[in-house]
Short mmCIF file of all heavy atoms in Angstrom, two decimals:
data_model
loop_
_atom_site.label_atom_id
_atom_site.label_comp_id
_atom_site.label_asym_id
_atom_site.label_seq_id
_atom_site.Cartn_x
_atom_site.Cartn_y
_atom_site.Cartn_z
N VAL A 497 -5.40 3.87 -35.95
CA VAL A 497 -6.49 4.32 -35.09
C VAL A 497 -7.70 4.64 -35.96
O VAL A 497 -7.58 5.31 -37.00
CB VAL A 497 -6.06 5.55 -34.27
CG1 VAL A 497 -7.26 6.15 -33.54
CG2 VAL A 497 -4.98 5.17 -33.27
N HIS A 498 -8.85 4.16 -35.55
CA HIS A 498 -10.07 4.34 -36.36
C HIS A 498 -10.42 5.82 -36.48
O HIS A 498 -10.29 6.58 -35.50
CB HIS A 498 -11.22 3.58 -35.72
CG HIS A 498 -12.39 3.39 -36.63
ND1 HIS A 498 -13.33 4.37 -36.85
CD2 HIS A 498 -12.76 2.32 -37.41
CE1 HIS A 498 -14.24 3.94 -37.71
NE2 HIS A 498 -13.92 2.68 -38.06
N PRO A 499 -10.86 6.26 -37.65
CA PRO A 499 -11.22 7.68 -37.82
C PRO A 499 -12.24 8.16 -36.80
O PRO A 499 -12.18 9.31 -36.36
CB PRO A 499 -11.80 7.73 -39.24
CG PRO A 499 -11.18 6.57 -39.95
CD PRO A 499 -10.98 5.51 -38.91
N GLN A 500 -13.14 7.29 -36.39
CA GLN A 500 -14.17 7.69 -35.42
C GLN A 500 -13.56 8.00 -34.07
O GLN A 500 -13.99 8.92 -33.38
CB GLN A 500 -15.21 6.58 -35.29
CG GLN A 500 -16.38 6.92 -34.37
CD GLN A 500 -17.46 5.85 -34.43
OE1 GLN A 500 -17.88 5.44 -35.50
NE2 GLN A 500 -17.90 5.40 -33.27
N LEU A 501 -12.53 7.23 -33.67
CA LEU A 501 -11.85 7.49 -32.40
C LEU A 501 -10.92 8.68 -32.53
O LEU A 501 -10.86 9.54 -31.64
CB LEU A 501 -11.06 6.24 -31.97
CG LEU A 501 -10.28 6.34 -30.65
CD1 LEU A 501 -11.21 6.65 -29.48
CD2 LEU A 501 -9.52 5.05 -30.39
N GLN A 502 -10.20 8.76 -33.64
CA GLN A 502 -9.27 9.86 -33.85
C GLN A 502 -10.00 11.19 -33.96
O GLN A 502 -9.47 12.24 -33.58
CB GLN A 502 -8.44 9.63 -35.11
CG GLN A 502 -7.33 10.63 -35.33
CD GLN A 502 -6.19 10.47 -34.34
OE1 GLN A 502 -5.43 9.52 -34.41
NE2 GLN A 502 -6.07 11.40 -33.41
N ALA A 503 -11.22 11.17 -34.45
CA ALA A 503 -11.97 12.41 -34.68
C ALA A 503 -12.66 12.93 -33.43
O ALA A 503 -13.37 13.93 -33.49
CB ALA A 503 -13.01 12.19 -35.78
N SER A 504 -12.46 12.27 -32.27
CA SER A 504 -13.06 12.77 -31.04
C SER A 504 -12.61 14.20 -30.79
O SER A 504 -11.50 14.60 -31.14
CB SER A 504 -12.63 11.89 -29.85
OG SER A 504 -13.06 10.57 -30.02
N VAL A 505 -13.49 14.98 -30.17
CA VAL A 505 -13.15 16.38 -29.86
C VAL A 505 -11.86 16.44 -29.06
O VAL A 505 -11.03 17.33 -29.26
CB VAL A 505 -14.32 17.03 -29.09
CG1 VAL A 505 -13.94 18.44 -28.65
CG2 VAL A 505 -15.56 17.05 -29.95
N ALA A 506 -11.67 15.53 -28.15
CA ALA A 506 -10.45 15.47 -27.35
C ALA A 506 -10.35 14.08 -26.76
O ALA A 506 -11.30 13.29 -26.82
CB ALA A 506 -10.46 16.52 -26.24
N ASP A 507 -9.19 13.78 -26.21
CA ASP A 507 -9.07 12.56 -25.42
C ASP A 507 -10.05 12.67 -24.23
O ASP A 507 -10.63 13.72 -23.99
CB ASP A 507 -7.64 12.40 -24.93
CG ASP A 507 -6.66 12.12 -26.05
OD1 ASP A 507 -6.83 12.68 -27.15
OD2 ASP A 507 -5.71 11.37 -25.83
N TYR A 508 -10.20 11.59 -23.52
CA TYR A 508 -11.08 11.50 -22.34
C TYR A 508 -12.55 11.30 -22.71
O TYR A 508 -13.40 11.28 -21.83
CB TYR A 508 -10.99 12.75 -21.43
CG TYR A 508 -9.62 13.27 -21.17
CD1 TYR A 508 -9.14 14.35 -21.88
CD2 TYR A 508 -8.81 12.70 -20.18
CE1 TYR A 508 -7.88 14.87 -21.64
CE2 TYR A 508 -7.54 13.21 -19.93
CZ TYR A 508 -7.08 14.29 -20.67
OH TYR A 508 -5.83 14.79 -20.43
N GLU A 509 -12.87 11.12 -23.99
CA GLU A 509 -14.26 10.86 -24.36
C GLU A 509 -14.59 9.39 -24.08
O GLU A 509 -13.72 8.52 -24.23
CB GLU A 509 -14.48 11.18 -25.84
CG GLU A 509 -14.39 12.66 -26.17
CD GLU A 509 -15.45 13.47 -25.48
OE1 GLU A 509 -16.64 13.07 -25.52
OE2 GLU A 509 -15.10 14.50 -24.86
N PRO A 510 -15.83 9.08 -23.68
CA PRO A 510 -16.16 7.69 -23.35
C PRO A 510 -16.09 6.78 -24.56
O PRO A 510 -16.51 7.14 -25.66
CB PRO A 510 -17.59 7.78 -22.81
CG PRO A 510 -18.13 9.07 -23.35
CD PRO A 510 -16.96 9.99 -23.47
N LEU A 511 -15.55 5.59 -24.35
CA LEU A 511 -15.47 4.55 -25.38
C LEU A 511 -16.31 3.38 -24.91
O LEU A 511 -16.00 2.75 -23.88
CB LEU A 511 -14.01 4.13 -25.60
CG LEU A 511 -13.78 2.97 -26.57
CD1 LEU A 511 -14.17 3.37 -27.99
CD2 LEU A 511 -12.32 2.51 -26.53
N GLN A 512 -17.35 3.07 -25.67
CA GLN A 512 -18.28 2.01 -25.28
C GLN A 512 -17.82 0.67 -25.85
O GLN A 512 -17.19 0.61 -26.91
CB GLN A 512 -19.69 2.33 -25.81
CG GLN A 512 -20.21 3.71 -25.47
CD GLN A 512 -20.50 3.88 -23.99
OE1 GLN A 512 -20.57 2.90 -23.25
NE2 GLN A 512 -20.69 5.12 -23.56
N PRO A 513 -18.12 -0.42 -25.15
CA PRO A 513 -17.85 -1.76 -25.71
C PRO A 513 -18.49 -1.91 -27.09
O PRO A 513 -19.63 -1.50 -27.31
CB PRO A 513 -18.48 -2.71 -24.69
CG PRO A 513 -18.47 -1.93 -23.40
CD PRO A 513 -18.70 -0.51 -23.79
N GLY A 514 -17.74 -2.45 -28.03
CA GLY A 514 -18.23 -2.65 -29.38
C GLY A 514 -17.97 -1.49 -30.32
O GLY A 514 -18.19 -1.62 -31.53
N ALA A 515 -17.47 -0.36 -29.80
CA ALA A 515 -17.18 0.79 -30.66
C ALA A 515 -15.90 0.52 -31.45
O ALA A 515 -14.98 -0.15 -30.95
CB ALA A 515 -17.04 2.05 -29.84
N PRO A 516 -15.79 1.03 -32.68
CA PRO A 516 -14.57 0.80 -33.45
C PRO A 516 -13.39 1.59 -32.89
O PRO A 516 -13.52 2.75 -32.52
CB PRO A 516 -14.94 1.31 -34.85
CG PRO A 516 -16.05 2.30 -34.62
CD PRO A 516 -16.80 1.79 -33.43
N ILE A 517 -12.25 0.92 -32.80
CA ILE A 517 -11.04 1.59 -32.29
C ILE A 517 -9.90 1.58 -33.31
O ILE A 517 -9.04 2.46 -33.28
CB ILE A 517 -10.56 0.97 -30.96
CG1 ILE A 517 -10.38 -0.55 -31.09
CG2 ILE A 517 -11.51 1.31 -29.83
CD1 ILE A 517 -9.80 -1.22 -29.83
N PHE A 518 -9.89 0.58 -34.21
CA PHE A 518 -8.86 0.52 -35.24
C PHE A 518 -9.51 0.21 -36.59
O PHE A 518 -10.59 -0.37 -36.65
CB PHE A 518 -7.81 -0.55 -34.93
CG PHE A 518 -7.09 -0.36 -33.62
CD1 PHE A 518 -7.27 -1.26 -32.58
CD2 PHE A 518 -6.25 0.73 -33.43
CE1 PHE A 518 -6.61 -1.08 -31.37
CE2 PHE A 518 -5.60 0.92 -32.23
CZ PHE A 518 -5.78 0.01 -31.20
N GLN A 519 -8.80 0.58 -37.62
CA GLN A 519 -9.20 0.20 -38.98
C GLN A 519 -8.00 -0.48 -39.62
O GLN A 519 -6.94 0.13 -39.78
CB GLN A 519 -9.60 1.44 -39.79
CG GLN A 519 -10.24 1.11 -41.12
CD GLN A 519 -10.78 2.37 -41.78
OE1 GLN A 519 -10.01 3.14 -42.35
NE2 GLN A 519 -12.08 2.59 -41.69
N LYS A 520 -8.16 -1.77 -39.94
CA LYS A 520 -7.07 -2.50 -40.58
C LYS A 520 -6.84 -1.98 -41.98
O LYS A 520 -7.72 -1.37 -42.60
CB LYS A 520 -7.39 -4.00 -40.61
CG LYS A 520 -7.33 -4.66 -39.24
CD LYS A 520 -7.45 -6.18 -39.37
CE LYS A 520 -7.25 -6.86 -38.02
NZ LYS A 520 -7.33 -8.34 -38.15
N PHE A 521 -5.65 -2.21 -42.50
CA PHE A 521 -5.32 -1.76 -43.85
C PHE A 521 -6.20 -2.46 -44.89
O PHE A 521 -6.39 -1.95 -46.00
CB PHE A 521 -3.85 -2.00 -44.15
CG PHE A 521 -2.93 -1.24 -43.21
CD1 PHE A 521 -1.76 -1.82 -42.74
CD2 PHE A 521 -3.22 0.05 -42.81
CE1 PHE A 521 -0.91 -1.13 -41.89
CE2 PHE A 521 -2.38 0.75 -41.96
CZ PHE A 521 -1.23 0.15 -41.50
N SER A 522 -6.78 -3.59 -44.50
CA SER A 522 -7.72 -4.29 -45.39
C SER A 522 -9.08 -3.62 -45.42
O SER A 522 -9.93 -3.95 -46.25
CB SER A 522 -7.89 -5.74 -44.92
OG SER A 522 -8.45 -5.76 -43.61
N GLY A 523 -9.30 -2.66 -44.50
CA GLY A 523 -10.58 -1.97 -44.41
C GLY A 523 -11.47 -2.48 -43.30
O GLY A 523 -12.50 -1.86 -42.99
N GLU A 524 -11.09 -3.59 -42.67
CA GLU A 524 -11.89 -4.19 -41.61
C GLU A 524 -11.78 -3.36 -40.32
O GLU A 524 -10.69 -2.93 -39.94
CB GLU A 524 -11.41 -5.62 -41.36
CG GLU A 524 -12.09 -6.32 -40.19
CD GLU A 524 -11.42 -7.64 -39.86
OE1 GLU A 524 -10.49 -8.04 -40.61
OE2 GLU A 524 -11.79 -8.25 -38.85
N ASP A 525 -12.91 -3.15 -39.64
CA ASP A 525 -12.91 -2.46 -38.36
C ASP A 525 -12.57 -3.43 -37.23
O ASP A 525 -13.01 -4.58 -37.23
CB ASP A 525 -14.29 -1.84 -38.07
CG ASP A 525 -14.55 -0.59 -38.90
OD1 ASP A 525 -13.60 -0.11 -39.56
OD2 ASP A 525 -15.69 -0.10 -38.89
N VAL A 526 -11.80 -2.95 -36.27
CA VAL A 526 -11.54 -3.68 -35.03
C VAL A 526 -12.27 -2.95 -33.92
O VAL A 526 -12.10 -1.73 -33.75
CB VAL A 526 -10.03 -3.74 -34.72
CG1 VAL A 526 -9.79 -4.44 -33.39
CG2 VAL A 526 -9.28 -4.44 -35.85
N ARG A 527 -13.09 -3.68 -33.18
CA ARG A 527 -13.94 -3.05 -32.17
C ARG A 527 -13.42 -3.32 -30.76
O ARG A 527 -12.74 -4.33 -30.52
CB ARG A 527 -15.39 -3.53 -32.32
CG ARG A 527 -15.96 -3.14 -33.69
CD ARG A 527 -17.40 -3.53 -33.88
NE ARG A 527 -17.86 -3.06 -35.19
CZ ARG A 527 -18.34 -1.84 -35.43
NH1 ARG A 527 -18.45 -0.97 -34.43
NH2 ARG A 527 -18.72 -1.49 -36.64
N TYR A 528 -13.75 -2.41 -29.88
CA TYR A 528 -13.32 -2.54 -28.49
C TYR A 528 -14.05 -3.70 -27.82
O TYR A 528 -15.29 -3.75 -27.83
CB TYR A 528 -13.57 -1.23 -27.74
CG TYR A 528 -13.18 -1.30 -26.28
CD1 TYR A 528 -11.89 -1.67 -25.90
CD2 TYR A 528 -14.11 -1.00 -25.28
CE1 TYR A 528 -11.54 -1.76 -24.57
CE2 TYR A 528 -13.76 -1.08 -23.95
CZ TYR A 528 -12.48 -1.46 -23.60
OH TYR A 528 -12.13 -1.54 -22.28
#
Side-chain angles (χ1 to χ4, degrees):
V497 171
H498 196 278
Q500 184 173 312
L501 180 59
Q502 187 71 72
S504 299
V505 175
D507 292 37
Y508 316 100
E509 292 297 312
L511 175 66
Q512 308 291 345
I517 53 176
F518 301 113
Q519 190 173 78
K520 289 188 174 182
F521 299 141
S522 63
E524 175 189 354
D525 285 351
V526 177
R527 299 183 178 274
Y528 178 55

